[in-house]
Amino acid sequence: MSNPSFRPLIVFSIPVLILLILAFPPVWTTMTGDVIKIKTAPVDPTDLFRGSYVALKYEIESVKPSQVDDSIKTEFNTRNMGDYKKVYVRLKQNTDGLYAVDYVTKEKPGEGVYLKGELEVPYDLQNAKTIQIRYGLDNYFASEEKAKEMEKEALANPSVAVVKVRNGHVVLTDIIIE
């Protein structure tokens, strides 16, 4: 390793290796994940740097306190209100083929369809009617024309997100407007 010609190779290969490691979970999920559908409610913003996209809100982002495991609720205290806690959200398929929240736990489920998420600790612990969870599925990028068309159609018709799921990792692949 004392050879100076290897140093530039090592220096330039480290960032490439880091990028490959970061890209692996989404690529692997897209290639091998299970396809599920989740009900959405889109809004159409435009970002100067990223272009046009459809911002999405999912029904599974709001859960009832009764769906949250007691082990998570006992960790809530006034110190961490507004903080985010890593959780696993187990999903179940409804009769209409869409997936909805079954329960939320801090332990990784052994089987079934589940997502990794971040639960926002509510500010009003005693009176919270819903608890919010983020999954990182907020934006669907499209051309400006397609994003505007999707926005118009979504206001009149319900939309469904098609996602791939594997070991809690999730990748948004398509939006279907019925």
Side-chain angles (χ1 to χ4, degrees):
M1 281 288 208
S2 63
N3 189 346
S5 64
F6 284 115
R7 288 184 187 155
L9 180 64
I10 291 172
V11 169
F12 291 116
S13 63
I14 290 174
V16 171
L17 184 61
I18 290 171
L19 288 174
L20 289 173
I21 290 170
L22 291 174
F24 183 75
V27 170
W28 186 248
T29 300
T30 302
M31 290 173 32
T32 63
D34 297 324
V35 177
I36 67 170
K37 295 180 181 178
I38 304 169
K39 194 168 184 182
T40 66
V43 180
D44 179 33
T46 299
D47 185 305
L48 179 63
F49 297 106
R50 299 186 292 178
S52 294
Y53 63 94
V54 179
L56 300 168
K57 177 146 177 64
Y58 298 89
E59 284 186 355
I60 62 171
E61 289 179 323
S62 295
V63 299
K64 298 174 188 164
S66 62
Q67 294 174 302
V68 177
D69 190 68
D70 290 336
S71 64
I72 296 173
K73 291 180 193 175
T74 57
E75 291 183 7
F76 293 170
N77 59 43
T78 55
R79 276 197 328 264
N80 56 13
M81 287 188 221
D83 287 347
Y84 288 90
K85 299 282 184 189
K86 180 181 169 186
V87 295
Y88 294 93
V89 180
R90 173 116 160 134
L91 302 176
K92 62 180 175 185
Q93 191 172 18
N94 295 335
T95 56
D96 58 2
L98 299 175
Y99 281 77
V101 175
D102 187 14
Y103 65 89
V104 180
T105 180
K106 64 180 180 179
E107 301 296 325
K108 183 178 178 180
E111 60 184 13
V113 178
Y114 62 92
L115 303 176
K116 289 180 187 177
E118 292 181 329
L119 180 143
E120 182 179 358
V121 179
Y123 284 97
D124 187 2
L125 298 172
Q126 312 309 332
N127 301 319
K129 299 212 184 330
T130 62
I131 297 174
Q132 301 300 309
I133 299 178
R134 298 188 311 190
Y135 300 100
L137 290 171
D138 302 359
N139 301 329
Y140 181 74
F141 290 92
S143 67
E144 185 175 348
E145 297 81 28
K146 184 175 180 184
K148 288 183 187 221
E149 179 183 326
M150 289 176 78
E151 176 189 20
K152 287 178 189 175
E153 290 179 15
L155 291 173
N157 302 309
S159 61
V160 173
V162 179
V163 299
K164 289 225 175 174
V165 179
R166 181 171 178 82
N167 293 330
H169 296 284
V170 62
V171 175
L172 177 61
T173 59
D174 197 8
I175 297 175
I176 300 172
I177 301 174
E178 300 173 346

